[in-house]
Amino acid sequence: MDIFSNLWLGASTAFLPMNLLYGFVGCLLGTAIGVLPGLGPTATIAMLLPITFGLPPESALIMLAGIFYGAQYGGSTTAILINLPGESSSVVTAIDGYQMARNGRAGAALATAALGSFFAGTVATILLAMAAPPLAAVALNFGPAEYFSLMVLGLVASVALASGSLLKAMAMIVFGLMLGTVGTDVESGTPRYVFDIPELYDGLNFVAVSMGIFGICEILRNLECEQERSVGVKRVTGLMLTRSDFKRIIAPILRGTALGSFLGVLPGGGAMLASFASYAMEKRISPNRAEFGKGAIEGVAAPESANNAGAQTSFIPMLTLGIPGNPVMALMVGAMIMQGITPGPNVISDEPALFWGMIVSMWSGNLMLVILNLPLIGLWVRMLTVPYHLLFPAIIGFCCIGAYSINNSVFDVFVMAGFSVIGFALSKMRFEPAPLLLGFILGPMLEENLRRAMLISQGDPSIFLRSPLSLSLLIFAVVVLGLVLSPSISRKREEAFTE
Amino acid sequence: MLKIRNGRDFIGGVTMICAGLLFIWFGRNLEVGNSFQMGPGYFPTVLSLVLMAIGALIILQSLVVEAERVEPQRPNWKAYFLVILAPVGFGVLLSGLGLAPTMFFLIVGVATASRYANWRHSILLGLFLAVCSVLLFTRLLSLPISAFGPWVPFLGDLS
């Protein structure tokens, strides 16, 4: 079988001592930031990106991926123990997980979360290994028109599934696309929006931009409603699950994994959506639904499996098509570009060691996390006692050095500062920063494909409708948009009528 | 009579229109070309127009749909000022002072943005992170910054 030789290649990359070490460091860092509230995976990955430039691409991406799924594990730990979700994807875990902890079953809840996540991670990794090559093979036949339509679909869907106002999310995408045009125009060599600043000829650096709008901006928001945390955690005992627990969690884990794997692939989906959806589903169909909210073990098992499955499968569009579905994947695309790898369907055939190595490392990383998390819970809880007023200056310090080290120039530090202001102003007006980053990363690719397609068709825009594939992608985008618009329109209308 | 029902969205829409106008203004010398031979100005101009259209829709919405009541956050101007100025100060001081003193001043300065900060903690944290960053970045990752810059007497430029 082909897949076995591929996985063997992956294993021989992922199990190199150096890559194992970077995977381990990534998982450890990811768990740590998952535990710490007020520091998300997007900001951390942006902060650590400059450090990975010196590493070989495999090690860099393995470590960054480890941070991402490590954060899913870490977030659940604090959600269960002290009702403080470290990540948005573990918000629903806190509902029943914390109740279980109060009933003295913290150990069982943590074990359920770990087992569910591990199972889901394994399944999602296998899914990724099986789905990616055929998908990439299809994408290899894509012309510029198909690529353009695919990107439009990706952007539209990421807006549709995001929270908040649809119009505002679209404005952010367009604004992000516009920011992507800063720098030298590839086709004509004309500098655009550079204001005679030599550093801008290469465009705005995405690391500096994302550190500004995610890292520094998060700090500004946190300082606004600053509260001292008081953490009181009892000793966690009894990690073993009883036989009846096992019986109760098998079905929710399976359902959570299936739902999470599906939602993760969708652009804009990923871990958060997966966990909310699977909790809602479980609440409706579980035979023990009366216990939900009072410490139902299903309420931990389902969302925890779903968020981990979603986190893994959100790599599928990124690795096979080069299209990121969420800000973390956008940063991964950026990291690949900085490593000199063009993201897209060619990655599998051009860089098989990188691709399969990453996949196998996801599985080994999940295993590490199970082993790492349960015995180290005491350490993670102690990390929570680090007060925020010591944490945020350190984050700012590392962001500054990180921005400087991109090109060894202070210009990127100023860009970061500038974008923290822009990001903060936008968040005050309730614009979400995530679509902006997606637009910013996809902007140059979108423009290039649009221009190529129009050159081929000699300026006839119907090229996007003549190719059946491109047409169906665009129709799908319109359908997605229509689906989201309809209920929100009716709701808005209701609001208008009640006056 | 039209009334602004959602002030925040109204400002948001106006901001988007202004952003579109700014891009059009600064890109006025870029050749737009036509849809067959797109010039460097084509894509940004089209996007600016789309952004302005979306901005107009947001304004329209703000006139029709009532804003939900939210408790306004009290702005913490001191924190905004310090946190945004910290990277700027870092950029200005880095080449002259070198990494260690810049880092120290950055940490101590920005820590005062928190209302729970105290000097002893901030100074200790500043020292700790200054040492850590010098070890990690100039020694381990060999960035081309010296620990102490030319402005620091005696120590400067030695390392």
Short mmCIF file of all heavy atoms in Angstrom, two decimals, chain B residues 82-105:
data_model
loop_
_atom_site.label_atom_id
_atom_site.label_comp_id
_atom_site.label_asym_id
_atom_site.label_seq_id
_atom_site.Cartn_x
_atom_site.Cartn_y
_atom_site.Cartn_z
N LEU B 82 0.97 53.29 27.42
CA LEU B 82 2.22 52.59 27.74
C LEU B 82 2.44 51.38 26.83
O LEU B 82 3.55 51.17 26.31
CB LEU B 82 2.20 52.13 29.20
CG LEU B 82 2.51 53.23 30.20
CD1 LEU B 82 2.17 52.76 31.60
CD2 LEU B 82 3.97 53.63 30.12
N VAL B 83 1.38 50.59 26.64
CA VAL B 83 1.55 49.35 25.88
C VAL B 83 1.87 49.64 24.41
O VAL B 83 2.67 48.95 23.79
CB VAL B 83 0.29 48.46 26.01
CG1 VAL B 83 0.33 47.30 25.04
CG2 VAL B 83 0.14 47.96 27.43
N ILE B 84 1.27 50.70 23.87
CA ILE B 84 1.53 51.01 22.47
C ILE B 84 2.88 51.70 22.30
O ILE B 84 3.60 51.48 21.32
CB ILE B 84 0.38 51.85 21.89
CG1 ILE B 84 -0.86 50.96 21.76
CG2 ILE B 84 0.74 52.43 20.54
CD1 ILE B 84 -2.12 51.69 21.53
N LEU B 85 3.23 52.50 23.30
CA LEU B 85 4.50 53.22 23.19
C LEU B 85 5.70 52.32 23.46
O LEU B 85 6.80 52.60 22.97
CB LEU B 85 4.50 54.39 24.17
CG LEU B 85 5.03 55.68 23.55
CD1 LEU B 85 4.07 56.14 22.47
CD2 LEU B 85 5.17 56.76 24.61
N ALA B 86 5.48 51.24 24.21
CA ALA B 86 6.61 50.38 24.59
C ALA B 86 7.38 49.87 23.37
O ALA B 86 8.61 50.01 23.33
CB ALA B 86 6.12 49.23 25.46
N PRO B 87 6.71 49.28 22.36
CA PRO B 87 7.48 48.82 21.19
C PRO B 87 8.17 49.95 20.46
O PRO B 87 9.28 49.77 19.95
CB PRO B 87 6.41 48.18 20.29
CG PRO B 87 5.25 47.93 21.15
CD PRO B 87 5.29 48.94 22.24
N VAL B 88 7.52 51.13 20.43
CA VAL B 88 8.15 52.27 19.75
C VAL B 88 9.43 52.64 20.48
O VAL B 88 10.49 52.82 19.87
CB VAL B 88 7.17 53.47 19.70
CG1 VAL B 88 7.83 54.66 19.03
CG2 VAL B 88 5.91 53.08 18.96
N GLY B 89 9.34 52.72 21.82
CA GLY B 89 10.53 53.03 22.61
C GLY B 89 11.61 51.98 22.40
O GLY B 89 12.79 52.30 22.25
N PHE B 90 11.18 50.72 22.34
CA PHE B 90 12.13 49.63 22.10
C PHE B 90 12.87 49.85 20.80
O PHE B 90 14.10 49.75 20.74
CB PHE B 90 11.34 48.31 22.06
CG PHE B 90 12.16 47.09 21.80
CD1 PHE B 90 12.72 46.38 22.85
CD2 PHE B 90 12.35 46.63 20.50
CE1 PHE B 90 13.46 45.24 22.61
CE2 PHE B 90 13.10 45.50 20.26
CZ PHE B 90 13.66 44.80 21.32
N GLY B 91 12.11 50.20 19.75
CA GLY B 91 12.73 50.41 18.45
C GLY B 91 13.70 51.58 18.44
O GLY B 91 14.74 51.53 17.79
N VAL B 92 13.34 52.63 19.19
CA VAL B 92 14.19 53.82 19.18
C VAL B 92 15.49 53.58 19.96
O VAL B 92 16.57 54.01 19.55
CB VAL B 92 13.40 55.01 19.77
CG1 VAL B 92 14.30 56.21 19.97
CG2 VAL B 92 12.23 55.37 18.86
N LEU B 93 15.35 52.88 21.10
CA LEU B 93 16.50 52.75 22.00
C LEU B 93 17.44 51.61 21.64
O LEU B 93 18.60 51.61 22.06
CB LEU B 93 16.01 52.56 23.44
CG LEU B 93 15.25 53.73 24.06
CD1 LEU B 93 14.76 53.35 25.45
CD2 LEU B 93 16.13 54.96 24.13
N LEU B 94 16.93 50.61 20.89
CA LEU B 94 17.67 49.36 20.76
C LEU B 94 19.09 49.56 20.22
O LEU B 94 20.06 49.04 20.80
CB LEU B 94 16.90 48.39 19.85
CG LEU B 94 17.50 47.01 19.74
CD1 LEU B 94 17.46 46.31 21.10
CD2 LEU B 94 16.74 46.17 18.72
N SER B 95 19.23 50.32 19.14
CA SER B 95 20.55 50.41 18.53
C SER B 95 21.53 51.16 19.44
O SER B 95 22.73 50.87 19.44
CB SER B 95 20.44 51.11 17.17
OG SER B 95 19.96 52.42 17.35
N GLY B 96 21.02 52.12 20.22
CA GLY B 96 21.92 52.89 21.05
C GLY B 96 22.27 52.21 22.36
O GLY B 96 23.44 52.13 22.75
N LEU B 97 21.24 51.68 23.03
CA LEU B 97 21.47 51.14 24.37
C LEU B 97 21.88 49.67 24.35
O LEU B 97 22.48 49.19 25.30
CB LEU B 97 20.19 51.28 25.21
CG LEU B 97 19.91 52.65 25.83
CD1 LEU B 97 18.62 52.61 26.62
CD2 LEU B 97 21.06 53.08 26.73
N GLY B 98 21.52 48.95 23.30
CA GLY B 98 21.77 47.52 23.30
C GLY B 98 20.60 46.78 23.92
O GLY B 98 19.70 47.38 24.50
N LEU B 99 20.61 45.46 23.79
CA LEU B 99 19.43 44.66 24.15
C LEU B 99 19.12 44.69 25.64
O LEU B 99 17.99 44.89 26.05
CB LEU B 99 19.62 43.22 23.67
CG LEU B 99 18.42 42.30 23.88
CD1 LEU B 99 17.19 42.84 23.17
CD2 LEU B 99 18.72 40.90 23.39
N ALA B 100 20.16 44.50 26.48
CA ALA B 100 19.89 44.32 27.91
C ALA B 100 19.24 45.55 28.54
O ALA B 100 18.16 45.43 29.13
CB ALA B 100 21.17 43.93 28.63
N PRO B 101 19.82 46.76 28.41
CA PRO B 101 19.16 47.91 29.04
C PRO B 101 17.80 48.21 28.41
O PRO B 101 16.85 48.55 29.12
CB PRO B 101 20.13 49.07 28.79
CG PRO B 101 21.38 48.47 28.28
CD PRO B 101 21.08 47.13 27.76
N THR B 102 17.68 48.06 27.09
CA THR B 102 16.40 48.35 26.44
C THR B 102 15.31 47.45 26.99
O THR B 102 14.22 47.90 27.32
CB THR B 102 16.51 48.13 24.91
OG1 THR B 102 17.69 48.76 24.45
CG2 THR B 102 15.33 48.72 24.20
N MET B 103 15.64 46.16 27.08
CA MET B 103 14.68 45.19 27.59
C MET B 103 14.27 45.57 29.01
O MET B 103 13.09 45.54 29.35
CB MET B 103 15.33 43.81 27.55
CG MET B 103 14.38 42.68 27.66
SD MET B 103 13.34 42.60 26.19
CE MET B 103 12.29 41.25 26.67
N PHE B 104 15.27 45.91 29.82
CA PHE B 104 14.99 46.25 31.22
C PHE B 104 14.03 47.44 31.30
O PHE B 104 13.02 47.39 32.00
CB PHE B 104 16.31 46.55 31.95
CG PHE B 104 16.11 46.99 33.36
CD1 PHE B 104 15.75 46.07 34.34
CD2 PHE B 104 16.25 48.32 33.71
CE1 PHE B 104 15.55 46.46 35.64
CE2 PHE B 104 16.05 48.73 35.01
CZ PHE B 104 15.70 47.80 35.99
N PHE B 105 14.34 48.51 30.56
CA PHE B 105 13.48 49.69 30.62
C PHE B 105 12.09 49.39 30.06
O PHE B 105 11.08 49.87 30.59
CB PHE B 105 14.11 50.85 29.85
CG PHE B 105 15.28 51.45 30.55
CD1 PHE B 105 16.50 51.61 29.92
CD2 PHE B 105 15.18 51.83 31.89
CE1 PHE B 105 17.59 52.15 30.58
CE2 PHE B 105 16.26 52.37 32.56
CZ PHE B 105 17.48 52.52 31.91
#
